[in-house]
Amino acid sequence: MGRYFSADTFDFLQDLEVHNERDWFKANQERYESVVRGPMLQFIEDLEAPMQAKVSPRLTADARKVGGSLFRIQRDVRFSNDKSPYKTNTGAFFRHDAGKDVTAPGLYLHLEPGNCFMGGGVYRPPNDALKKLRTAVVDAPDDWLAVRDAPAMRNWEFGGDSLKRAPKGFDADLPLIEDLRRTSFIVSRPLTEKQMTSTKLLDLFVDRGAEISPFVAWVASALGLDF
């Protein structure tokens, strides 16, 4: 595979941070398409076959401009004090094919100057799904620990917020209470700008996706999904 992103991708996002205005974006729309959205859509299109072969056939890569794996660059400012109209990053979520109907896990790629990473799992699921995940930890702790503490996970960081107290319905003295207080079951790993602009990015993403596939499979299983 060729190179998807370049220094121009990062330059555009840095410029957008300085000129986060609709008039500027409209004047630079072709530049956005050329160095940000176009390359990400090509990455998405090229990813599906190797990802399904090496990680899971249930993960999808939808290269539509709207409504697919690519996140919109427009911000939802309705409930935010920050009224900047655009995100200064681009990202794509490669979700389990049940995701259009139910809460489901997936892999994620994030490109932002100074903050590139990939991740996997499920982010801030609704309460019913979160209860299933917590129950899976309690009912089969050895299975959870085998996934959480696997050698392949040493380079990955668990993320997301945690409750200050035990979640409703779970005793505060349970052995794995710190895991039960999680509000997301996600892991992430940084990517450098050099890696993001390398011709090996797609292979790297697939290989690291395979590395955390037991964790993503555990999340899927806890939610009642095949992986």
Side-chain angles (χ1 to χ4, degrees):
M1 300 296 179
R3 179 178 286 105
Y4 297 94
F5 307 107
S6 67
D8 292 338
T9 310
F10 289 87
D11 288 345
F12 176 87
L13 293 172
Q14 288 174 326
D15 289 347
L16 179 58
E17 185 172 9
V18 176
H19 306 284
N20 203 323
E21 304 154 0
R22 288 183 175 85
D23 288 346
W24 184 91
F25 189 85
K26 185 175 180 180
N28 287 271
Q29 180 80 37
E30 290 186 8
R31 185 180 166 206
Y32 166 68
E33 297 289 348
S34 175
V35 301
V36 180
R37 185 155 75 164
M40 181 63 90
L41 290 175
Q42 189 63 57
F43 179 87
I44 293 168
E45 183 175 323
D46 293 345
L47 176 66
E48 185 165 71
M51 179 176 66
Q52 290 184 346
K54 295 184 180 181
V55 184
S56 169
R58 301 299 301 273
L59 295 181
T60 60
D62 185 340
R64 287 178 293 166
K65 285 188 174 182
V66 178
S69 299
L70 177 69
F71 281 90
R72 288 164 50 89
I73 196 164
Q74 291 82 7
R75 295 181 62 248
D76 184 352
V77 299
R78 291 174 297 173
F79 308 108
S80 175
N81 290 328
D82 180 3
K83 299 303 181 182
S84 302
Y86 302 104
K87 302 171 187 173
T88 54
N89 63 73
T90 185
F93 182 58
F94 308 101
R95 67 186 182 188
H96 189 286
D97 58 16
K100 59 184 177 295
D101 300 315
V102 299
T103 300
L107 301 179
Y108 176 66
L109 178 66
H110 185 93
L111 189 158
E112 180 179 9
N115 182 34
C116 296
F117 63 89
M118 71 169 290
V122 61
Y123 178 68
R124 297 180 66 177
N127 288 336
D128 59 337
L130 196 49
K131 185 175 181 179
K132 291 179 181 178
L133 291 159
R134 290 166 172 161
T135 300
V137 171
V138 172
D139 288 351
D142 289 345
D143 291 347
W144 165 243
L145 288 173
V147 169
R148 190 196 72 178
D149 298 339
M153 298 294 283
R154 289 173 183 164
N155 294 317
W156 295 82
E157 181 178 352
F158 281 86
D161 297 330
S162 292
L163 301 174
K164 293 182 178 179
R165 297 181 176 85
K168 185 178 180 179
F170 295 86
D171 292 337
D173 58 355
L174 286 169
L176 294 171
I177 190 60
E178 288 190 10
D179 289 324
L180 299 178
R181 290 194 290 109
R182 300 183 187 280
T183 58
S184 296
F185 278 73
I186 53 170
V187 295
S188 65
R189 185 172 177 178
L191 292 166
T192 65
E193 183 172 334
K194 183 177 180 180
Q195 288 171 323
M196 291 296 296
T197 56
S198 168
T199 58
K200 302 294 185 182
L201 175 63
L202 190 142
D203 291 337
L204 177 63
F205 187 88
V206 171
D207 289 345
R208 290 191 176 179
E211 193 172 81
I212 59 169
S213 61
F215 166 71
V216 184
W218 179 91
V219 173
S221 179
L223 296 173
L225 303 172
D226 293 332
F227 192 76

